[in-house]
Amino acid sequence: MTEASFEALLAAAWRRSDDLFALIPEASMGRRPIAQRHPFSFYMGHLPAFAWNQIGRGVLGLGPMRSDFDVLFERGIDPAGEDGARAASRDAWPAIAEVIAYRDEVRRAVRARIPDVLARAEDVLGARGRILQLVIEHERMHHETLMYMLQEHGAARRPDGAPAFVGGGGRAAEPRRVPAGRVVIGADFEAIPFGWDNEFGRAEIDVPGFTIDSLPVRNGDYLAFLEAMEDGARAALTPRTFVRRGGGLAVKTIFGPVSFEVASGWPAQVSGEQARAYAVWRGGRLATEAELRRAAFGEPSGGVRARPWGHAPGEPRHGQFGFRGWSPVPTGSHPDGASAFGVEELVGNGWEWTSTPFAPLPGFVAYARTYPGYSADFFDGEHDVVFGASWATDEGFLRPSFRNWYRRDYPYVFSSFRVVREEPRSRRR
């Protein structure tokens, strides 16, 4: 890509960041709605600090932009110990005006140094502007983080012209048979313009035939599961999104709770552990990463698609992704996004939980020396792969090689899940 292309991508990412931070009331900037996350105010400084630490200091070997802020805002996830205690106090963080001044200074410096990065073609991070891509995608990832933090907080300002939530009961899932086939997980390093370290390496997996629900589990389906549980188990299985309002059941959104009737057909946003419990109750299990890839990209003829719906880029008719709305939509709203096997919503409307622990592919290398722990810090057996995308996922992450993950007990992510059942051995061919 050209210098102008990178400048445009950075500008678009920064513009969306500014638009999303504008949704957060000033009085809420110091709030920490999720214990495993820093306050909102931290992320306003984290995004520019990450950009400068990666580009200016990491690749170009330049000095600090502002050494105290470069360090203070360096790491943005899973605060613990001293960092967690500091995050809990708004007084520990600089004034927003100082952070904005730092942000703007970093943006000017990064924009001015795009040619310097592209001139370093002999550096793996300079070649193809990989370090620029890394910074852009990191910013886009945090757009989604901000949104699920806002959902937990429930006090976002509604932007002018925001469409109303699409409510309704959704369409019930039906069984779809996916025949046996081989999937390849991973990409060749030079085959795509940019990928994170866990996208590279290669795993070839022969997947036996299986039956999968055509659509994710809905909030209404999950409520029936809860009502079938004994009181002792119900509390641990209740999603964070289910809340009581005015004596009735409601579901959280970034703008506050909506009635259960509105959200009954939306995909159930639960933790991976809760999803597993539901699947067992239904006589099945969660899909593996390989099974979802087979259901999404495979074809009966043996071919492989770039997207579940074919090879064309994603459009609004294909799914709820790319910030085209401010919430999920009822299941079955995008039949044009179905795969060759008739499985819908494999992309959009929620990151789909799998039963596959997040682990390196054969041949994995943490190639980004400026960010060696991006994936490796989470190869711990406690994080599972999630598949697809949510309504708040940037379209750049729809590439087939992209892999995402969360702790299986993490209840905040915009998630979805569906049930898979084993085929009788006589049919596995």
Side-chain angles (χ1 to χ4, degrees):
M1 289 198 300
T2 65
E3 177 185 342
S5 298
F6 280 115
E7 187 167 351
L9 289 173
L10 283 164
W14 293 337
R15 184 166 53 250
R16 186 191 284 162
S17 293
D18 295 345
D19 289 345
L20 297 182
F21 277 113
L23 301 180
I24 305 170
E26 186 175 349
S28 297
M29 286 297 290
R31 300 287 180 86
R32 187 186 177 199
I34 297 175
Q36 295 90 347
R37 295 281 173 184
H38 288 302
F40 289 114
S41 59
F42 170 86
Y43 294 94
M44 185 172 278
H46 172 61
L47 296 175
F50 183 89
W52 186 250
N53 287 333
Q54 294 292 314
I55 295 171
R57 301 177 71 173
V59 169
L60 298 179
L62 303 174
M65 177 62 62
R66 178 173 164 172
S67 57
D68 55 343
F69 280 17
D70 292 352
V71 174
L72 177 65
F73 294 116
E74 183 175 19
R75 186 168 176 84
I77 60 172
D78 297 332
E82 250 180 64
D83 286 343
R86 180 184 62 187
S89 171
R90 175 64 184 91
D91 295 337
W93 301 99
I96 295 299
E98 278 192 89
V99 179
I100 290 174
Y102 170 74
R103 177 201 70 190
D104 292 347
E105 187 177 4
V106 168
R107 288 179 178 178
R108 285 190 293 270
V110 166
R111 186 182 288 112
R113 286 164 175 80
I114 293 173
D116 298 338
V117 171
L118 297 180
R120 297 189 172 226
E122 76 289 348
D123 183 337
V124 68
L125 295 177
R128 297 189 176 186
R130 286 191 180 95
I131 196 64
L132 298 170
Q133 293 273 32
L134 185 148
V135 165
I136 291 163
E137 292 209 348
H138 172 265
E139 188 119 358
R140 292 169 174 172
M141 288 176 184
H142 275 290
H143 296 159
E144 187 160 357
T145 304
L146 283 172
M147 291 300 93
Y148 70 70
M149 288 176 64
L150 268 175
Q151 177 171 281
E152 185 64 12
H153 186 47
R157 298 188 180 104
R158 195 177 189 98
D160 294 339
F165 294 132
V166 179
R171 182 150 49 85
E174 299 175 350
R176 296 285 185 264
R177 180 175 182 264
V178 179
R182 172 167 287 197
V183 300
V184 176
I185 304 176
D188 294 330
F189 191 69
E190 296 296 339
I192 57 177
F194 172 77
W196 295 85
D197 53 16
N198 66 73
E199 297 180 54
F200 302 114
R202 185 180 180 87
E204 295 189 16
I205 302 172
D206 289 316
V207 180
F210 59 96
T211 299
I212 186 170
D213 282 356
S214 61
L215 289 162
V217 173
R218 302 167 294 181
N219 282 325
D221 303 321
Y222 197 86
L223 179 60
F225 164 60
L226 290 178
E227 291 173 341
M229 296 295 104
E230 296 183 0
D231 291 346
R234 192 175 298 144
L237 293 169
T238 299
R240 292 280 305 188
T241 51
F242 284 18
V243 293
R244 291 286 168 184
R245 187 182 70 168
L249 188 60
V251 176
K252 291 179 181 178
T253 76
I254 66 170
F255 303 125
V258 297
S259 70
F260 194 84
E261 288 70 25
V262 170
S264 63
W266 295 356
Q269 179 189 316
V270 301
S271 72
E273 291 174 342
Q274 292 167 337
R276 288 177 186 227
Y278 178 95
V280 170
W281 179 70
R282 284 284 308 276
R285 58 175 175 78
L286 296 184
T288 65
E289 179 184 14
E291 286 171 334
L292 286 182
R293 286 181 175 273
R294 173 70 177 147
F297 305 127
E299 295 180 332
S301 64
V304 178
R305 296 179 171 186
R307 305 279 188 270
W309 51 85
H311 293 280
E315 299 177 11
R317 65 190 178 90
H318 291 134
Q320 185 76 341
F321 47 76
F323 283 86
R324 293 198 175 98
W326 295 100
S327 75
V329 293
T331 61
S333 296
H334 295 92
D336 287 348
S339 75
F341 301 113
V343 185
E344 301 178 40
E345 296 184 18
L346 288 159
V347 173
N349 227 19
W351 286 103
E352 186 157 339
W353 285 108
T354 77
S355 60
T356 300
F358 181 56
L361 297 175
F364 168 83
V365 175
Y367 78 88
R369 64 183 183 280
T370 57
Y371 200 3
Y374 170 72
S375 299
D377 285 352
F378 304 97
F379 295 151
D380 55 10
E382 298 179 0
H383 295 74
D384 288 340
V385 173
V386 293
F387 185 86
S390 83
W391 63 266
T393 303
D394 188 89
E395 291 174 63
F397 298 117
L398 302 190
R399 60 182 179 269
S401 60
F402 185 74
R403 302 175 77 213
N404 197 9
W405 70 94
Y406 288 97
R407 284 183 63 95
R408 66 182 64 96
D409 62 354
Y410 196 63
Y412 305 105
V413 61
F414 297 138
S415 64
S416 68
F417 73 100
R418 72 186 82 209
V419 179
V420 165
R421 293 171 182 83
E422 304 284 353
E423 283 198 339
R425 290 186 179 274
S426 61
R427 292 189 64 185
R428 292 188 187 181
R429 60 179 186 269

